[in-house]
Amino acid sequence: MTSTYSVDPGDPDASYLAFWRERHLCTLTTPRPDGTPHVVPVGVTYDPGERLARVITRGTSAKAAHVRAAGPDGAPVAVCQVDGRRWATLEGRARVRTEPDRVAEAERRYAERYGRQPSPNPRRVVIEIELTGAMGRG
C-alpha cells in the first residue's frame, strides 16, 4: 500500500495514474474574488504528458468566472478525487480556453474517462490546469 506522498504531476507512478483513469466524481476548488474557496463537483481528466488537467464547463459558470477574474497568469486551483481511503489531488494554474480544438480534445478525454459523450453545448469551454503539484494516497 502506498502512503501519502508528493509526486511530479508529469511523471506519476502507475497506481496514481490508474486511479485518475478510473471513473470518479471530483471537486474543483477555485478562488472567489474575495479569496474564499469555491468548491464544486466536476469531471476531471488528467494528462501527465502535457502536465494538464481539464474540466469542461459552460463559459458562464461561476468556476469559469473565477478563473477569468484571476487574470492572464491564471488562478491557483486544485482538483481532488476520493474513493474510501484513496485520494488524489492535482494543483496548478487554471486558464479558461475557448479554442474549438482544445474544447474538442477535453470532450474526447471526458468521454474516454467517464464513458459517455458530453451533450452538445455551444457555450462550452475548458478550464485547463497547468499542473505544478500532485499528492495522494494510493
Side-chain angles (χ1 to χ4, degrees), residues 4-34:
T4 302
Y5 64 100
S6 192
V7 65
D8 176 349
D11 188 24
D13 66 33
S15 64
Y16 192 83
L17 185 56
F19 185 40
W20 276 104
R21 290 187 172 150
E22 295 172 10
R23 187 182 191 280
H24 292 287
L25 187 61
C26 303
T27 60
L28 168 67
T29 304
T30 58
R32 292 184 180 106
D34 69 2

PDB file of all heavy atoms in Angstrom, residues 4-34:
ATOM      1  N   THR A   4       1.013   8.411   1.970  1.00  0.00           N
ATOM      2  CA  THR A   4       0.862   9.776   1.488  1.00  0.00           C
ATOM      3  C   THR A   4       2.167  10.221   0.847  1.00  0.00           C
ATOM      4  O   THR A   4       3.240   9.966   1.366  1.00  0.00           O
ATOM      5  CB  THR A   4       0.507  10.716   2.652  1.00  0.00           C
ATOM      6  OG1 THR A   4      -0.698  10.230   3.243  1.00  0.00           O
ATOM      7  CG2 THR A   4       0.308  12.134   2.189  1.00  0.00           C
ATOM      8  N   TYR A   5       2.050  10.877  -0.285  1.00  0.00           N
ATOM      9  CA  TYR A   5       3.257  11.287  -0.994  1.00  0.00           C
ATOM     10  C   TYR A   5       2.983  12.475  -1.895  1.00  0.00           C
ATOM     11  O   TYR A   5       1.855  12.774  -2.241  1.00  0.00           O
ATOM     12  CB  TYR A   5       3.808  10.129  -1.820  1.00  0.00           C
ATOM     13  CG  TYR A   5       2.867   9.675  -2.927  1.00  0.00           C
ATOM     14  CD1 TYR A   5       3.070  10.095  -4.241  1.00  0.00           C
ATOM     15  CD2 TYR A   5       1.785   8.861  -2.657  1.00  0.00           C
ATOM     16  CE1 TYR A   5       2.213   9.684  -5.256  1.00  0.00           C
ATOM     17  CE2 TYR A   5       0.928   8.455  -3.666  1.00  0.00           C
ATOM     18  CZ  TYR A   5       1.150   8.869  -4.957  1.00  0.00           C
ATOM     19  OH  TYR A   5       0.309   8.468  -5.951  1.00  0.00           O
ATOM     20  N   SER A   6       4.056  13.107  -2.269  1.00  0.00           N
ATOM     21  CA  SER A   6       4.046  14.171  -3.245  1.00  0.00           C
ATOM     22  C   SER A   6       4.697  13.606  -4.500  1.00  0.00           C
ATOM     23  O   SER A   6       5.629  12.810  -4.395  1.00  0.00           O
ATOM     24  CB  SER A   6       4.857  15.348  -2.700  1.00  0.00           C
ATOM     25  OG  SER A   6       4.648  16.485  -3.474  1.00  0.00           O
ATOM     26  N   VAL A   7       4.199  13.980  -5.679  1.00  0.00           N
ATOM     27  CA  VAL A   7       4.720  13.398  -6.913  1.00  0.00           C
ATOM     28  C   VAL A   7       4.805  14.461  -8.003  1.00  0.00           C
ATOM     29  O   VAL A   7       4.055  15.429  -7.985  1.00  0.00           O
ATOM     30  CB  VAL A   7       3.823  12.215  -7.367  1.00  0.00           C
ATOM     31  CG1 VAL A   7       2.442  12.672  -7.730  1.00  0.00           C
ATOM     32  CG2 VAL A   7       4.441  11.445  -8.504  1.00  0.00           C
ATOM     33  N   ASP A   8       5.715  14.281  -8.907  1.00  0.00           N
ATOM     34  CA  ASP A   8       5.797  15.135 -10.088  1.00  0.00           C
ATOM     35  C   ASP A   8       4.579  14.828 -10.946  1.00  0.00           C
ATOM     36  O   ASP A   8       4.418  13.694 -11.392  1.00  0.00           O
ATOM     37  CB  ASP A   8       7.092  14.828 -10.841  1.00  0.00           C
ATOM     38  CG  ASP A   8       7.239  15.595 -12.142  1.00  0.00           C
ATOM     39  OD1 ASP A   8       6.263  16.225 -12.608  1.00  0.00           O
ATOM     40  OD2 ASP A   8       8.339  15.543 -12.710  1.00  0.00           O
ATOM     41  N   PRO A   9       3.706  15.805 -11.195  1.00  0.00           N
ATOM     42  CA  PRO A   9       2.495  15.517 -11.967  1.00  0.00           C
ATOM     43  C   PRO A   9       2.769  15.124 -13.416  1.00  0.00           C
ATOM     44  O   PRO A   9       1.894  14.574 -14.084  1.00  0.00           O
ATOM     45  CB  PRO A   9       1.688  16.813 -11.888  1.00  0.00           C
ATOM     46  CG  PRO A   9       2.685  17.865 -11.583  1.00  0.00           C
ATOM     47  CD  PRO A   9       3.774  17.203 -10.785  1.00  0.00           C
ATOM     48  N   GLY A  10       3.979  15.335 -13.890  1.00  0.00           N
ATOM     49  CA  GLY A  10       4.344  14.902 -15.229  1.00  0.00           C
ATOM     50  C   GLY A  10       4.912  13.499 -15.269  1.00  0.00           C
ATOM     51  O   GLY A  10       5.127  12.950 -16.349  1.00  0.00           O
ATOM     52  N   ASP A  11       5.124  12.890 -14.097  1.00  0.00           N
ATOM     53  CA  ASP A  11       5.722  11.555 -14.023  1.00  0.00           C
ATOM     54  C   ASP A  11       5.143  10.773 -12.845  1.00  0.00           C
ATOM     55  O   ASP A  11       5.858  10.396 -11.923  1.00  0.00           O
ATOM     56  CB  ASP A  11       7.240  11.687 -13.892  1.00  0.00           C
ATOM     57  CG  ASP A  11       7.952  10.355 -14.010  1.00  0.00           C
ATOM     58  OD1 ASP A  11       7.396   9.423 -14.628  1.00  0.00           O
ATOM     59  OD2 ASP A  11       9.061  10.243 -13.458  1.00  0.00           O
ATOM     60  N   PRO A  12       3.809  10.527 -12.864  1.00  0.00           N
ATOM     61  CA  PRO A  12       3.198   9.807 -11.744  1.00  0.00           C
ATOM     62  C   PRO A  12       3.521   8.323 -11.793  1.00  0.00           C
ATOM     63  O   PRO A  12       3.817   7.783 -12.863  1.00  0.00           O
ATOM     64  CB  PRO A  12       1.701  10.033 -11.979  1.00  0.00           C
ATOM     65  CG  PRO A  12       1.591  10.113 -13.471  1.00  0.00           C
ATOM     66  CD  PRO A  12       2.840  10.855 -13.907  1.00  0.00           C
ATOM     67  N   ASP A  13       3.455   7.653 -10.642  1.00  0.00           N
ATOM     68  CA  ASP A  13       3.631   6.200 -10.664  1.00  0.00           C
ATOM     69  C   ASP A  13       2.364   5.554 -11.231  1.00  0.00           C
ATOM     70  O   ASP A  13       1.328   6.204 -11.398  1.00  0.00           O
ATOM     71  CB  ASP A  13       4.021   5.657  -9.291  1.00  0.00           C
ATOM     72  CG  ASP A  13       2.939   5.809  -8.234  1.00  0.00           C
ATOM     73  OD1 ASP A  13       1.739   5.737  -8.547  1.00  0.00           O
ATOM     74  OD2 ASP A  13       3.308   5.984  -7.057  1.00  0.00           O
ATOM     75  N   ALA A  14       2.460   4.278 -11.549  1.00  0.00           N
ATOM     76  CA  ALA A  14       1.375   3.569 -12.242  1.00  0.00           C
ATOM     77  C   ALA A  14       0.074   3.566 -11.449  1.00  0.00           C
ATOM     78  O   ALA A  14      -1.008   3.742 -12.021  1.00  0.00           O
ATOM     79  CB  ALA A  14       1.811   2.144 -12.566  1.00  0.00           C
ATOM     80  N   SER A  15       0.139   3.389 -10.134  1.00  0.00           N
ATOM     81  CA  SER A  15      -1.095   3.332  -9.348  1.00  0.00           C
ATOM     82  C   SER A  15      -1.779   4.694  -9.276  1.00  0.00           C
ATOM     83  O   SER A  15      -3.011   4.783  -9.300  1.00  0.00           O
ATOM     84  CB  SER A  15      -0.841   2.767  -7.948  1.00  0.00           C
ATOM     85  OG  SER A  15       0.000   3.613  -7.210  1.00  0.00           O
ATOM     86  N   TYR A  16      -1.002   5.766  -9.199  1.00  0.00           N
ATOM     87  CA  TYR A  16      -1.576   7.116  -9.165  1.00  0.00           C
ATOM     88  C   TYR A  16      -2.286   7.401 -10.486  1.00  0.00           C
ATOM     89  O   TYR A  16      -3.424   7.865 -10.512  1.00  0.00           O
ATOM     90  CB  TYR A  16      -0.462   8.135  -8.901  1.00  0.00           C
ATOM     91  CG  TYR A  16      -0.951   9.521  -8.572  1.00  0.00           C
ATOM     92  CD1 TYR A  16      -1.330   9.843  -7.273  1.00  0.00           C
ATOM     93  CD2 TYR A  16      -1.028  10.510  -9.541  1.00  0.00           C
ATOM     94  CE1 TYR A  16      -1.773  11.120  -6.949  1.00  0.00           C
ATOM     95  CE2 TYR A  16      -1.473  11.784  -9.227  1.00  0.00           C
ATOM     96  CZ  TYR A  16      -1.847  12.091  -7.935  1.00  0.00           C
ATOM     97  OH  TYR A  16      -2.288  13.347  -7.619  1.00  0.00           O
ATOM     98  N   LEU A  17      -1.623   7.098 -11.582  1.00  0.00           N
ATOM     99  CA  LEU A  17      -2.216   7.319 -12.899  1.00  0.00           C
ATOM    100  C   LEU A  17      -3.460   6.446 -13.093  1.00  0.00           C
ATOM    101  O   LEU A  17      -4.479   6.921 -13.604  1.00  0.00           O
ATOM    102  CB  LEU A  17      -1.192   7.053 -13.999  1.00  0.00           C
ATOM    103  CG  LEU A  17      -1.634   7.354 -15.425  1.00  0.00           C
ATOM    104  CD1 LEU A  17      -2.109   8.787 -15.578  1.00  0.00           C
ATOM    105  CD2 LEU A  17      -0.502   7.055 -16.390  1.00  0.00           C
ATOM    106  N   ALA A  18      -3.400   5.199 -12.671  1.00  0.00           N
ATOM    107  CA  ALA A  18      -4.554   4.306 -12.799  1.00  0.00           C
ATOM    108  C   ALA A  18      -5.758   4.851 -12.029  1.00  0.00           C
ATOM    109  O   ALA A  18      -6.894   4.786 -12.513  1.00  0.00           O
ATOM    110  CB  ALA A  18      -4.203   2.909 -12.300  1.00  0.00           C
ATOM    111  N   PHE A  19      -5.517   5.399 -10.845  1.00  0.00           N
ATOM    112  CA  PHE A  19      -6.600   5.976 -10.049  1.00  0.00           C
ATOM    113  C   PHE A  19      -7.268   7.124 -10.808  1.00  0.00           C
ATOM    114  O   PHE A  19      -8.485   7.258 -10.812  1.00  0.00           O
ATOM    115  CB  PHE A  19      -6.050   6.427  -8.697  1.00  0.00           C
ATOM    116  CG  PHE A  19      -7.086   6.929  -7.724  1.00  0.00           C
ATOM    117  CD1 PHE A  19      -8.327   6.321  -7.588  1.00  0.00           C
ATOM    118  CD2 PHE A  19      -6.796   8.003  -6.903  1.00  0.00           C
ATOM    119  CE1 PHE A  19      -9.258   6.784  -6.667  1.00  0.00           C
ATOM    120  CE2 PHE A  19      -7.713   8.476  -5.978  1.00  0.00           C
ATOM    121  CZ  PHE A  19      -8.957   7.867  -5.855  1.00  0.00           C
ATOM    122  N   TRP A  20      -6.463   7.957 -11.487  1.00  0.00           N
ATOM    123  CA  TRP A  20      -7.022   9.073 -12.256  1.00  0.00           C
ATOM    124  C   TRP A  20      -7.718   8.609 -13.535  1.00  0.00           C
ATOM    125  O   TRP A  20      -8.415   9.386 -14.168  1.00  0.00           O
ATOM    126  CB  TRP A  20      -5.942  10.111 -12.578  1.00  0.00           C
ATOM    127  CG  TRP A  20      -5.757  11.064 -11.447  1.00  0.00           C
ATOM    128  CD1 TRP A  20      -4.735  11.084 -10.554  1.00  0.00           C
ATOM    129  CD2 TRP A  20      -6.633  12.124 -11.060  1.00  0.00           C
ATOM    130  NE1 TRP A  20      -4.928  12.092  -9.645  1.00  0.00           N
ATOM    131  CE2 TRP A  20      -6.078  12.750  -9.939  1.00  0.00           C
ATOM    132  CE3 TRP A  20      -7.838  12.611 -11.570  1.00  0.00           C
ATOM    133  CZ2 TRP A  20      -6.688  13.832  -9.294  1.00  0.00           C
ATOM    134  CZ3 TRP A  20      -8.447  13.688 -10.939  1.00  0.00           C
ATOM    135  CH2 TRP A  20      -7.871  14.289  -9.814  1.00  0.00           C
ATOM    136  N   ARG A  21      -7.537   7.366 -13.928  1.00  0.00           N
ATOM    137  CA  ARG A  21      -8.233   6.847 -15.114  1.00  0.00           C
ATOM    138  C   ARG A  21      -9.544   6.156 -14.755  1.00  0.00           C
ATOM    139  O   ARG A  21     -10.351   5.889 -15.631  1.00  0.00           O
ATOM    140  CB  ARG A  21      -7.313   5.919 -15.898  1.00  0.00           C
ATOM    141  CG  ARG A  21      -6.199   6.715 -16.558  1.00  0.00           C
ATOM    142  CD  ARG A  21      -5.360   5.882 -17.477  1.00  0.00           C
ATOM    143  NE  ARG A  21      -4.446   6.749 -18.199  1.00  0.00           N
ATOM    144  CZ  ARG A  21      -3.266   6.370 -18.619  1.00  0.00           C
ATOM    145  NH1 ARG A  21      -2.842   5.124 -18.421  1.00  0.00           N
ATOM    146  NH2 ARG A  21      -2.477   7.210 -19.276  1.00  0.00           N
ATOM    147  N   GLU A  22      -9.734   5.856 -13.471  1.00  0.00           N
ATOM    148  CA  GLU A  22     -10.996   5.286 -13.023  1.00  0.00           C
ATOM    149  C   GLU A  22     -12.076   6.368 -13.062  1.00  0.00           C
ATOM    150  O   GLU A  22     -11.776   7.554 -13.017  1.00  0.00           O
ATOM    151  CB  GLU A  22     -10.870   4.766 -11.582  1.00  0.00           C
ATOM    152  CG  GLU A  22      -9.919   3.614 -11.418  1.00  0.00           C
ATOM    153  CD  GLU A  22      -9.682   3.264  -9.955  1.00  0.00           C
ATOM    154  OE1 GLU A  22     -10.394   3.785  -9.060  1.00  0.00           O
ATOM    155  OE2 GLU A  22      -8.761   2.471  -9.705  1.00  0.00           O
ATOM    156  N   ARG A  23     -13.321   5.926 -13.130  1.00  0.00           N
ATOM    157  CA  ARG A  23     -14.439   6.872 -13.172  1.00  0.00           C
ATOM    158  C   ARG A  23     -14.758   7.327 -11.751  1.00  0.00           C
ATOM    159  O   ARG A  23     -15.251   6.543 -10.941  1.00  0.00           O
ATOM    160  CB  ARG A  23     -15.654   6.197 -13.801  1.00  0.00           C
ATOM    161  CG  ARG A  23     -16.795   7.139 -14.035  1.00  0.00           C
ATOM    162  CD  ARG A  23     -17.999   6.400 -14.627  1.00  0.00           C
ATOM    163  NE  ARG A  23     -19.011   7.311 -15.091  1.00  0.00           N
ATOM    164  CZ  ARG A  23     -19.899   7.905 -14.312  1.00  0.00           C
ATOM    165  NH1 ARG A  23     -19.890   7.679 -13.009  1.00  0.00           N
ATOM    166  NH2 ARG A  23     -20.787   8.730 -14.823  1.00  0.00           N
ATOM    167  N   HIS A  24     -14.439   8.584 -11.438  1.00  0.00           N
ATOM    168  CA  HIS A  24     -14.745   9.171 -10.128  1.00  0.00           C
ATOM    169  C   HIS A  24     -15.227  10.601 -10.308  1.00  0.00           C
ATOM    170  O   HIS A  24     -14.706  11.332 -11.158  1.00  0.00           O
ATOM    171  CB  HIS A  24     -13.493   9.218  -9.234  1.00  0.00           C
ATOM    172  CG  HIS A  24     -13.010   7.879  -8.819  1.00  0.00           C
ATOM    173  ND1 HIS A  24     -13.650   7.100  -7.888  1.00  0.00           N
ATOM    174  CD2 HIS A  24     -11.931   7.165  -9.226  1.00  0.00           C
ATOM    175  CE1 HIS A  24     -12.988   5.968  -7.736  1.00  0.00           C
ATOM    176  NE2 HIS A  24     -11.935   5.983  -8.543  1.00  0.00           N
ATOM    177  N   LEU A  25     -16.191  10.985  -9.505  1.00  0.00           N
ATOM    178  CA  LEU A  25     -16.573  12.383  -9.411  1.00  0.00           C
ATOM    179  C   LEU A  25     -15.459  13.096  -8.650  1.00  0.00           C
ATOM    180  O   LEU A  25     -14.856  12.528  -7.730  1.00  0.00           O
ATOM    181  CB  LEU A  25     -17.893  12.520  -8.662  1.00  0.00           C
ATOM    182  CG  LEU A  25     -18.519  13.901  -8.608  1.00  0.00           C
ATOM    183  CD1 LEU A  25     -18.826  14.405 -10.021  1.00  0.00           C
ATOM    184  CD2 LEU A  25     -19.786  13.869  -7.779  1.00  0.00           C
ATOM    185  N   CYS A  26     -15.166  14.306  -9.052  1.00  0.00           N
ATOM    186  CA  CYS A  26     -14.075  15.072  -8.456  1.00  0.00           C
ATOM    187  C   CYS A  26     -14.611  16.394  -7.927  1.00  0.00           C
ATOM    188  O   CYS A  26     -15.776  16.723  -8.112  1.00  0.00           O
ATOM    189  CB  CYS A  26     -13.001  15.350  -9.512  1.00  0.00           C
ATOM    190  SG  CYS A  26     -12.346  13.864 -10.284  1.00  0.00           S
ATOM    191  N   THR A  27     -13.740  17.153  -7.301  1.00  0.00           N
ATOM    192  CA  THR A  27     -14.064  18.530  -6.934  1.00  0.00           C
ATOM    193  C   THR A  27     -13.022  19.455  -7.542  1.00  0.00           C
ATOM    194  O   THR A  27     -11.864  19.074  -7.723  1.00  0.00           O
ATOM    195  CB  THR A  27     -14.093  18.753  -5.404  1.00  0.00           C
ATOM    196  OG1 THR A  27     -12.817  18.446  -4.860  1.00  0.00           O
ATOM    197  CG2 THR A  27     -15.173  17.919  -4.742  1.00  0.00           C
ATOM    198  N   LEU A  28     -13.464  20.656  -7.842  1.00  0.00           N
ATOM    199  CA  LEU A  28     -12.585  21.734  -8.306  1.00  0.00           C
ATOM    200  C   LEU A  28     -12.713  22.862  -7.298  1.00  0.00           C
ATOM    201  O   LEU A  28     -13.829  23.286  -6.974  1.00  0.00           O
ATOM    202  CB  LEU A  28     -13.006  22.230  -9.689  1.00  0.00           C
ATOM    203  CG  LEU A  28     -12.360  23.533 -10.174  1.00  0.00           C
ATOM    204  CD1 LEU A  28     -10.865  23.357 -10.424  1.00  0.00           C
ATOM    205  CD2 LEU A  28     -13.056  24.034 -11.430  1.00  0.00           C
ATOM    206  N   THR A  29     -11.585  23.344  -6.796  1.00  0.00           N
ATOM    207  CA  THR A  29     -11.569  24.473  -5.877  1.00  0.00           C
ATOM    208  C   THR A  29     -10.936  25.657  -6.589  1.00  0.00           C
ATOM    209  O   THR A  29      -9.792  25.572  -7.051  1.00  0.00           O
ATOM    210  CB  THR A  29     -10.775  24.146  -4.599  1.00  0.00           C
ATOM    211  OG1 THR A  29     -11.332  22.974  -3.998  1.00  0.00           O
ATOM    212  CG2 THR A  29     -10.822  25.301  -3.609  1.00  0.00           C
ATOM    213  N   THR A  30     -11.725  26.745  -6.705  1.00  0.00           N
ATOM    214  CA  THR A  30     -11.249  27.988  -7.317  1.00  0.00           C
ATOM    215  C   THR A  30     -11.382  29.111  -6.291  1.00  0.00           C
ATOM    216  O   THR A  30     -12.229  29.043  -5.398  1.00  0.00           O
ATOM    217  CB  THR A  30     -12.075  28.353  -8.573  1.00  0.00           C
ATOM    218  OG1 THR A  30     -13.456  28.472  -8.218  1.00  0.00           O
ATOM    219  CG2 THR A  30     -11.910  27.321  -9.668  1.00  0.00           C
ATOM    220  N   PRO A  31     -10.573  30.163  -6.425  1.00  0.00           N
ATOM    221  CA  PRO A  31     -10.701  31.287  -5.500  1.00  0.00           C
ATOM    222  C   PRO A  31     -11.767  32.276  -5.982  1.00  0.00           C
ATOM    223  O   PRO A  31     -11.786  32.665  -7.146  1.00  0.00           O
ATOM    224  CB  PRO A  31      -9.313  31.931  -5.536  1.00  0.00           C
ATOM    225  CG  PRO A  31      -8.803  31.621  -6.912  1.00  0.00           C
ATOM    226  CD  PRO A  31      -9.397  30.290  -7.291  1.00  0.00           C
ATOM    227  N   ARG A  32     -12.650  32.647  -5.077  1.00  0.00           N
ATOM    228  CA  ARG A  32     -13.596  33.724  -5.379  1.00  0.00           C
ATOM    229  C   ARG A  32     -12.828  35.049  -5.339  1.00  0.00           C
ATOM    230  O   ARG A  32     -11.721  35.113  -4.780  1.00  0.00           O
ATOM    231  CB  ARG A  32     -14.705  33.757  -4.337  1.00  0.00           C
ATOM    232  CG  ARG A  32     -15.638  32.571  -4.385  1.00  0.00           C
ATOM    233  CD  ARG A  32     -16.768  32.763  -3.355  1.00  0.00           C
ATOM    234  NE  ARG A  32     -17.669  31.654  -3.363  1.00  0.00           N
ATOM    235  CZ  ARG A  32     -17.734  30.714  -2.413  1.00  0.00           C
ATOM    236  NH1 ARG A  32     -16.914  30.756  -1.368  1.00  0.00           N
ATOM    237  NH2 ARG A  32     -18.603  29.743  -2.500  1.00  0.00           N
ATOM    238  N   PRO A  33     -13.407  36.114  -5.902  1.00  0.00           N
ATOM    239  CA  PRO A  33     -12.717  37.410  -5.865  1.00  0.00           C
ATOM    240  C   PRO A  33     -12.333  37.870  -4.452  1.00  0.00           C
ATOM    241  O   PRO A  33     -11.333  38.557  -4.277  1.00  0.00           O
ATOM    242  CB  PRO A  33     -13.716  38.367  -6.518  1.00  0.00           C
ATOM    243  CG  PRO A  33     -14.468  37.486  -7.481  1.00  0.00           C
ATOM    244  CD  PRO A  33     -14.608  36.164  -6.746  1.00  0.00           C
ATOM    245  N   ASP A  34     -13.104  37.440  -3.426  1.00  0.00           N
ATOM    246  CA  ASP A  34     -12.756  37.831  -2.053  1.00  0.00           C
ATOM    247  C   ASP A  34     -11.737  36.892  -1.410  1.00  0.00           C
ATOM    248  O   ASP A  34     -11.392  37.036  -0.242  1.00  0.00           O
ATOM    249  CB  ASP A  34     -14.013  37.950  -1.187  1.00  0.00           C
ATOM    250  CG  ASP A  34     -14.696  36.615  -0.909  1.00  0.00           C
ATOM    251  OD1 ASP A  34     -14.186  35.552  -1.358  1.00  0.00           O
ATOM    252  OD2 ASP A  34     -15.750  36.624  -0.240  1.00  0.00           O
TER     253      ASP A  34
END
